[in-house]
Amino acid sequence: MANTNNSDTNTVESVPEPTYRAKIVQQPLDIAPPEQALPERIEPEQWQPPVKKSRLSVGLATLGLALTTVIGFMLFDAITTLASNAAQYPIITTFLGIMLTCVVGGLSYLSAREYLGYRRVNSALLDSSDIQLLEQQSKAGESLDVAQVAHVIDRHGTHFSADSYAAFCYQRYLLHIHVDMTGNERLALYHDNVTQKVQKKAREVLNQEAVTAGSMAFISPNNLLQTAAILWVSFRTIRKVAQVYGLKPSASGNWKLMGVLAQNIAAQGIVDLATDEIMSQVSGSLSAKFVENAAEAVAAGALNVRLGKALMKLLK
Amino acid sequence: MQNRWSALVDKAAQVATTSSNKLADIVTKQTHRFTLTGLSRSGKSMLFTSILTMLKSRNDEGYVCLPLLRTLPPEDIIFTRIEPLEGFKPFPLTLSLEALANQAWPAPTDEAYGFKLIIRVQETHSVKRKLLPHTDVIFEFVDYPGEWLTDLPMLSKSYAQWSDTAWAQLSSGPQQYYAEEWKAFVNRFDFEAAPTRERIGELVECYTRYLKVAKSNGISMLQPGSFLLDTSEFDRFEHGFAPLPSSITSDISHPWFEVFNAHYQKFGKDWLSPIKEDVFKETEKQIILVDLFEGLNHSRQHLYQLKETLSHLADAFVYGKQSWFAKRLGKSPKIGKVAFVATKSDLLPAGEHDNLLALLEQITEGARAKFADKPIAFEHFLVSAIKVTDEGSAPQALRYQDKDLGYVEATFESVPTRLKDMESDAHFPVLNVAVPKDFKARILAGRGLDRLFQYLLTNEEQSDGKY
């Protein structure tokens, strides 16, 4: 058997108990600890574009007038050949003439009001370019200064109009912010909670407006009314999308949008010509009229989407 | 006729919806199994309790928490469900929450628990939504006693190697003071006498006593850690062993060497190997929890030892990047993403967090060196699973409720960013914090878990960090 004198342990000397100087000074306090509040709760999204009653009533009245006019024209078409026999039926012709004037007048009023509204330039659009720049830097892997990011975002956030969806999202974003977050993290949160959500909502609004534009084009009895209706829906789209963003397009943006709007109306005119031509080749029946209006409705919806997308690109 | 037609259309739509849901169930599953590596008292159980509470409160009750978990936006989550993990006891979440409600910390984990957290996320893309309406993100978590983890490196050592290493360790560093009784016992012990059951028991018992005293004084590298658990299924009284002086381990014919060597082999084969197989299954992502306060609470030497322990632990795992094909062919996964996490960060004033992070980065140097030549993604994080402190009257101070329920302000000197900068005779005594009554609000006020899971869930190819 091997010699086992436990030699490893014989040489061990007694080790003093380690003592250390504390680098924390503790002091009892004479107050009760504060209670930690639960974080805020996020309620389901219920934001709707703000609706003003007076606007709604004018809008509805105009729509009603338009419908009445359509029905009038349809009745007129069905009963007699009004256009060629105005002298023979002076009362009905006069009545329809008055109705037509009212519709055109109402649509003109709405369009003018929307036009004046979106002419207001908002300086906040300049800040969005700063945010885009920061996002590019973040994507490139740069570490962003938290104070700079907070400043740019706060400045941008304060420009949102109080009843806009963007302001609603911005308030939610503020609930998520913690002091220990980095600049890149704040920017990412802003992107998720404001930029992205606002765009999603704008797309939803745009889709609704495209349906409205199509419907208006469908029920419009003649090209004049159709153009007026599209003009109105176009301005309404601009207003509603701008409401989502909480911003109005800038002056330069206005010109761009006006260009798109003019192109849309011109395009709609071409669609009208084409459908008129097709209709004249096919027949003059009611079903042909239906087909014509349906084609124009699809075109109007698509053109409205085009306008909305141009606006979203501008406001993004 | 019209009714029949509409009924037919409705039925077709119903079948299409059911089919797409079932298809989504099968096709769009993303399973993330995390190896959560943490020494004893590193805060694993509290971390599980917190992440479950946070996700439930965020998704079901609408509380604002985990804002940086962009991969799983609350508005896209359809439901969150916890399911048992096959082969494991369910994680005692209710018991942990009850303990917190009774102002006690969750009991230390003494056996393995597992659970599956299933989060169903709705597809946001309008076209994809028609075909595959949702994605199931499945997290698989396993909680286990940290003591088991410390034992894993023993699998790659012979008894003689382990004994010599253990003897060298207990003779150096801060643990040498606590090992005096054990050494004195060995010095007196008659190794000429035959290794009977009683004598083996005496020796193992004395060594276990040393392990327990050393553990209570912040020593991290203690093997076998399994001997510290009274609930351990390995019978240390029947098959126990202890390190022996080299004068004995150098003689492989010595009866004490023979018997301890046999017990050591049994420990590896019957206890450690099954644990490694079942609990520490290789995965693609690893979270390494580090309680730096355990080291700061004692001394610089303790921190160096923590660094050494982490370095040894990294040996027990397989790191590497797997190809897409290897993954699909079901090859044993390798860890390709590692998160080093310092827990309990709320025990330091916010102004010291950068220093704490720098210290963490230095502590993990040895572990990182194990995969330095491999394309492994890693990151360091500070996490507080529950915010138990409040702001103090100065930037270097914070306040907390101590175990006597008094409210205390602690003012800190600056935490060193490098180990060498820490004075050898100084320490940062850990705060004796009580569980707050408002524990739920304080769990929801915890920090860093969103950052951690966002990092782990984001694939390199996901530029926007979203599903």
Side-chain angles (χ1 to χ4, degrees):
Chain A
M1 185 172 289
N3 177 26
T4 54
N5 61 1
N6 310 345
S7 56
D8 299 18
T9 62
N10 288 339
T11 54
V12 174
E13 290 175 10
S14 183
V15 181
E17 183 175 6
T19 52
Y20 306 105
R21 180 179 68 82
K23 299 193 85 173
I24 304 175
V25 178
Q26 304 208 43
Q27 184 186 359
L29 299 171
D30 224 3
I31 53 171
E35 192 163 331
Q36 175 79 35
L38 282 163
E40 295 287 336
R41 290 173 87 151
I42 299 277
E43 301 299 334
E45 286 193 8
Q46 287 170 339
W47 184 89
Q48 291 295 329
V51 177
K52 290 183 181 164
K53 280 183 181 172
S54 60
R55 287 190 181 194
L56 186 68
S57 61
V58 176
L60 277 176
T62 312
L63 196 62
L65 286 170
L67 280 170
T68 313
T69 312
V70 170
I71 293 163
F73 268 102
M74 284 174 73
L75 281 171
F76 189 75
D77 276 342
I79 295 167
T80 185
T81 52
L82 176 65
S84 57
N85 296 296
Q88 198 178 345
Y89 301 100
I91 299 168
I92 294 171
T93 313
T94 309
F95 172 72
L96 287 175
I98 293 167
M99 295 297 286
L100 186 63
T101 310
C102 290
V103 172
V104 171
L107 285 172
S108 303
Y109 167 74
L110 286 170
S111 299
R113 195 178 59 182
E114 297 300 343
Y115 175 74
L116 289 173
Y118 99 100
R119 282 268 301 175
R120 275 175 274 163
V121 178
N122 200 316
S123 62
L125 289 172
L126 293 172
D127 297 331
S128 64
S129 60
D130 287 348
I131 290 180
Q132 283 168 14
L133 184 67
L134 288 173
E135 282 180 343
Q136 282 169 6
Q137 289 172 342
S138 180
K139 273 185 187 165
E142 284 182 41
S143 184
L144 303 175
D145 176 46
V146 67
Q148 188 201 356
V149 172
H151 177 67
V152 170
I153 288 177
D154 289 350
R155 202 175 54 195
H156 193 234
T158 51
H159 287 308
F160 297 139
S161 55
D163 53 2
S164 66
Y165 183 70
F168 171 81
C169 293
Y170 180 67
Q171 289 307 316
R172 279 197 170 181
Y173 156 78
L174 291 178
L175 293 177
H176 287 96
I177 289 298
H178 298 149
V179 284
D180 65 341
M181 284 179 181
T182 63
N184 299 57
E185 286 170 346
R186 279 181 185 234
L187 198 65
L189 263 187
Y190 188 80
H191 177 79
D192 288 355
N193 286 284
V194 183
T195 313
Q196 215 167 48
K197 287 191 174 172
V198 165
Q199 267 183 280
K200 191 180 167 196
K201 178 62 82 180
R203 274 196 293 271
E204 285 172 18
V205 169
L206 191 55
N207 288 343
Q208 286 169 4
E209 290 304 294
V211 172
T212 311
S215 307
M216 294 297 285
F218 185 74
I219 60 170
S220 295
N222 60 34
N223 292 346
L224 173 65
L225 283 182
Q226 200 175 59
T227 305
I230 287 170
L231 201 62
W232 169 59
V233 172
S234 298
F235 281 125
R236 199 176 84 142
T237 303
I238 292 171
R239 176 171 62 83
K240 283 200 166 181
V241 172
Q243 269 178 350
V244 169
Y245 280 91
L247 304 167
K248 298 279 183 188
S250 66
S252 60
N254 284 346
W255 287 113
K256 277 184 196 165
L257 289 174
M258 289 303 288
V260 175
L261 193 57
Q263 286 166 16
N264 278 3
I265 289 167
Q268 189 69 34
I270 294 166
V271 172
D272 287 344
L273 279 176
T275 50
D276 283 348
E277 181 57 27
I278 291 166
M279 197 183 78
S280 66
Q281 295 293 328
V282 180
S283 73
S285 68
L286 267 177
S287 61
K289 179 75 182 165
F290 179 86
V291 171
E292 181 201 14
N293 279 13
E296 286 170 0
V298 171
L303 291 170
N304 199 56
V305 168
R306 182 169 169 255
L307 173 72
K309 285 197 170 170
L311 176 64
M312 283 168 67
K313 196 175 171 187
L314 201 68
L315 294 178
K316 189 176 163 186
Chain B
M1 184 67 190
Q2 199 177 1
N3 285 344
R4 271 194 208 169
W5 175 248
S6 63
L8 198 66
V9 170
D10 287 349
K11 188 77 185 166
Q14 201 180 345
V15 168
T17 311
T18 313
S19 306
S20 59
N21 272 320
K22 282 189 177 165
L23 187 67
D25 283 347
I26 298 162
V27 178
T28 55
K29 263 188 190 166
Q30 303 199 15
T31 304
H32 303 266
R33 182 163 171 155
F34 300 105
T35 294
L36 198 103
T37 310
L39 296 172
S40 170
R41 291 185 294 202
S42 59
K44 293 189 294 297
S45 302
M46 192 61 221
L47 188 132
F48 286 139
T49 307
S50 283
I51 191 71
L52 289 175
T53 307
M54 283 179 172
L55 282 171
K56 194 171 158 47
S57 301
R58 177 185 192 244
N59 302 332
D60 299 350
E61 300 170 83
Y63 284 113
V64 175
C65 58
L66 304 172
L68 297 174
L69 187 54
R70 301 171 60 211
T71 313
L72 300 170
E75 63 271 19
D76 293 343
I77 291 175
I78 302 168
F79 64 72
T80 306
R81 198 171 62 215
I82 299 170
E83 284 186 5
L85 190 60
E86 203 180 329
F88 290 93
K89 286 187 179 179
F91 178 72
L93 176 66
T94 316
L95 286 180
S96 294
L97 290 172
E98 276 174 12
L100 291 171
N102 294 322
Q103 290 195 271
W105 293 110
T109 310
D110 53 10
E111 58 183 317
Y113 298 108
F115 66 91
K116 212 188 269 187
L117 179 68
I118 301 169
I119 301 178
R120 180 161 290 184
V121 188
Q122 68 178 0
E123 176 57 59
T124 49
H125 193 278
S126 55
V127 178
K128 278 190 203 166
R129 194 163 51 208
K130 303 289 178 209
L131 187 64
L132 302 166
H134 62 256
T135 301
D136 280 347
V137 182
I138 303 170
F139 298 81
E140 291 181 6
F141 291 106
V142 178
D143 191 15
Y144 55 84
E147 288 82 356
W148 293 358
L149 181 68
T150 333
D151 291 349
L152 287 186
M154 293 171 75
L155 277 172
S156 57
K157 286 179 183 165
S158 68
Y159 169 68
Q161 285 170 329
W162 171 77
S163 175
D164 291 348
T165 311
W167 200 267
Q169 276 172 344
L170 62 85
S171 303
S172 63
Q175 60 270 45
Q176 56 184 314
Y177 171 74
Y178 311 110
E180 280 194 327
E181 186 201 331
W182 158 248
K183 283 187 177 177
F185 184 83
V186 170
N187 217 18
R188 289 194 305 272
F189 199 80
D190 181 10
F191 285 101
E192 298 295 340
T196 60
R197 192 172 184 277
E198 289 70 29
R199 289 173 60 73
I200 290 171
E202 277 177 41
L203 203 62
V204 171
E205 202 47 45
C206 186
Y207 181 64
T208 306
R209 217 163 32 244
Y210 152 69
L211 292 176
K212 287 183 175 173
V213 171
K215 187 190 172 188
S216 66
N217 285 282
I219 305 298
S220 52
M221 195 61 198
L222 294 169
Q223 290 173 330
S226 302
F227 286 12
L228 288 162
L229 298 168
D230 293 329
T231 53
S232 174
E233 286 172 29
F234 184 79
D235 186 353
R236 72 169 188 268
F237 300 104
E238 189 67 33
H239 305 293
F241 56 90
L244 293 174
S246 60
S247 53
I248 297 171
T249 55
S250 59
D251 175 10
I252 58 169
S253 64
H254 195 289
W256 280 92
F257 178 85
E258 282 180 347
V259 72
F260 274 11
N261 186 39
H263 286 183
Y264 184 87
Q265 300 303 330
K266 186 174 178 56
F267 178 77
K269 190 179 162 206
D270 295 351
W271 175 247
L272 271 188
S273 293
I275 285 180
K276 187 174 183 192
E277 189 69 24
D278 299 336
V279 180
F280 298 99
K281 274 183 195 166
E282 297 300 351
T283 56
E284 290 167 15
K285 292 163 188 174
Q286 184 181 34
I287 304 171
I288 299 181
L289 294 188
V290 185
D291 181 7
L292 288 177
F293 292 95
E294 192 66 25
L296 287 168
N297 182 34
H298 292 92
S299 71
R300 185 175 69 181
Q301 286 300 317
H302 285 75
L303 284 169
Y304 273 118
Q305 197 183 60
L306 184 60
K307 184 178 179 182
E308 185 191 342
T309 308
L310 286 177
S311 173
H312 289 311
L313 291 181
D315 282 331
F317 297 95
V318 182
Y319 295 95
K321 201 85 174 170
Q322 262 186 323
S323 68
W324 187 88
F325 276 111
K327 281 180 198 172
R328 264 67 191 171
L329 288 172
K331 285 194 174 178
S332 220
K334 294 174 180 174
I335 297 167
K337 201 168 202 179
V338 183
F340 295 99
V341 179
T343 52
K344 308 172 189 175
S345 64
D346 59 311
L347 296 183
L348 266 188
E352 291 297 314
H353 284 182
D354 286 346
N355 291 359
L356 192 70
L357 195 63
L359 197 60
L360 174 68
E361 285 170 3
Q362 203 198 346
I363 292 285
T364 63
E365 273 172 354
R368 281 186 279 133
K370 308 286 178 186
F371 51 72
D373 55 340
K374 293 171 184 157
I376 308 297
F378 67 88
E379 194 67 77
H380 294 82
F381 298 88
L382 300 184
V383 158
S384 65
I386 176 169
K387 178 181 168 283
V388 288
T389 56
D390 304 310
E391 274 183 26
S393 58
Q396 284 298 101
L398 48 78
R399 294 172 176 183
Y400 70 97
Q401 192 171 35
D402 67 10
K403 294 217 166 129
D404 301 324
L405 302 182
Y407 199 44
V408 179
E409 177 158 293
T411 307
F412 289 71
E413 289 181 34
S414 193
V415 171
T417 54
R418 306 286 303 168
L419 282 171
K420 67 179 176 57
D421 297 336
M422 186 160 168
E423 297 152 65
S424 59
D425 61 343
H427 75 145
F428 290 84
V430 74
L431 305 182
N432 189 22
V433 180
V435 177
K437 279 183 188 163
D438 49 353
F439 71 92
K440 182 177 173 181
R442 287 182 178 274
I443 283 177
L444 300 188
R447 294 284 181 268
L449 283 172
D450 48 359
R451 213 173 263 143
L452 169 65
F453 282 95
Q454 174 66 19
Y455 170 73
L456 290 168
L457 289 176
T458 311
N459 297 325
E460 285 75 10
E461 58 268 26
Q462 283 176 286
S463 58
D464 64 347
K466 287 192 165 190
Y467 279 108

